[in-house]
Amino acid sequence: MFTLPTLRRSLILTALLAGAAHAGTVSVAVAANFTAPMQKIAAEFAKDTGHKAELSFGATGKFYAQISNGAPFGILLSADDTTPAKIASEGKGVADSRFTYAVGKLVLWSKQDGYVDAQGAVLKTGKFQHVAIANPKLAPYGLAAEQTLTQLGLLEQIKPKFVQGENIGQTYQFAATGNAELGFVALSQVMEDGKIKSGSAWLVPSSMHEPIRQDAIVLNTAKDNAAAKALMDYLRGDKVRAIITSYGYAF
């Protein structure tokens, strides 16, 4: 015979087990620039929903190639809007699931305090050996950096000084370790809680490059995955938007 406290504990345990039984997992391919916010979002997502997001970080172009070759990702959080559109048009993703989860911002950054001025005039001095940039064929932030230098009329002059990263994560490492005095990186990599964490930076005006609209899409492998649906809904919520904004993104 159950006493009241024992019965209460039993009911709570049953409810917890039922919740765990309904919790799911989704594999998420995440653009490298979104590493820090997505790690925080995934932790909150697990706490709030019980679902788990398994994260892989890398270049959007590489993820597209892997998805085309059958990689079992459930969601792509792209660094652009063209790749998810292409995936949808090719029938590899759920077209009506696609939406812009963030708009990225490009920044010229140095780990040295005072090295980069607020107008980016350091680029015109030529007094540096290397500039880190992501591969523009694979990474939208790399393409935006090239477009910026073209607007400034400096692309051909600076191109010989490029140190090219496979993705924006590797590009940041080149600048953070000092292998390049300057780096065109995502604002999210050097900002937290609305402030530049260290070093010096020039926030590139958005008018100098195409908008970096970052779209999410559910891939066909996860079209019936409850965790995938839950994460896509979660990404639209106010809590997540506050996290994303704190890393320098817009909407």
Side-chain angles (χ1 to χ4, degrees):
M1 183 175 179
F2 284 115
T3 63
L4 189 57
T6 303
L7 180 59
R8 186 179 293 118
R9 285 196 298 271
S10 177
L11 289 172
I12 291 170
L13 180 60
T14 301
L16 289 172
L17 290 173
H22 286 98
T25 301
V26 58
S27 177
V28 188
V30 184
N33 73 86
F34 204 63
T35 298
M38 193 57 202
Q39 287 173 331
K40 187 174 286 190
I41 290 165
E44 294 299 312
F45 176 65
K47 283 194 293 185
D48 291 344
T49 70
H51 294 299
K52 183 180 179 183
E54 294 182 341
L55 310 178
S56 299
F57 302 100
T60 293
K62 279 212 161 186
F63 281 138
Y64 171 75
Q66 291 168 1
I67 290 163
S68 296
N69 287 317
F73 295 118
I75 289 174
L76 172 65
L77 296 183
S78 180
D80 62 9
D81 56 356
T82 55
T83 301
K86 190 175 183 183
I87 286 170
S89 69
E90 292 172 347
K92 299 184 181 81
V94 182
D96 63 4
S97 71
R98 186 163 57 96
F99 77 101
T100 300
Y101 66 91
V103 177
K105 295 180 185 178
L106 180 70
V107 66
L108 180 70
W109 179 77
S110 171
K111 74 170 190 174
Q112 298 180 46
D113 291 339
Y115 194 87
V116 179
D117 59 285
Q119 288 75 42
V122 64
L123 290 169
K124 298 176 182 177
T125 68
K127 294 179 181 177
F128 48 87
Q129 295 299 311
H130 300 106
V131 179
I133 181 174
N135 185 340
K137 294 179 180 176
L138 294 175
Y141 282 83
L143 179 60
E146 275 203 347
Q147 290 170 346
T148 297
L149 290 171
T150 299
Q151 285 267 16
L152 292 170
L154 297 172
L155 180 60
E156 296 309 314
Q157 176 184 327
I158 293 179
K159 213 168 190 177
K161 298 184 178 185
F162 281 178
V163 178
Q164 190 166 279
E166 181 180 275
N167 57 52
I168 201 67
Q170 189 179 64
T171 304
Y172 170 75
Q173 286 303 317
F174 288 146
T177 56
N179 287 316
E181 301 99 308
L182 299 169
F184 279 103
V185 300
L187 179 60
S188 59
Q189 294 173 298
V190 297
M191 173 177 275
E192 192 169 7
D193 297 327
K195 300 175 183 177
I196 299 293
K197 292 183 284 187
S198 63
S200 52
W202 169 51
L203 179 59
V204 178
S206 58
S207 60
M208 301 195 78
H209 57 78
E210 294 176 6
I212 307 174
R213 292 192 184 92
Q214 302 192 192
D215 279 12
I217 188 170
V218 175
L219 305 170
N220 286 347
T221 55
K223 62 183 178 182
D224 298 317
N225 183 322
K229 182 184 184 307
L231 180 57
M232 293 292 271
D233 290 341
Y234 195 74
L235 286 168
R236 291 180 169 93
D238 290 342
K239 182 176 185 177
V240 169
R241 286 197 159 213
I243 293 172
I244 293 173
T245 301
S246 75
Y247 283 91
Y249 293 93
F251 295 99

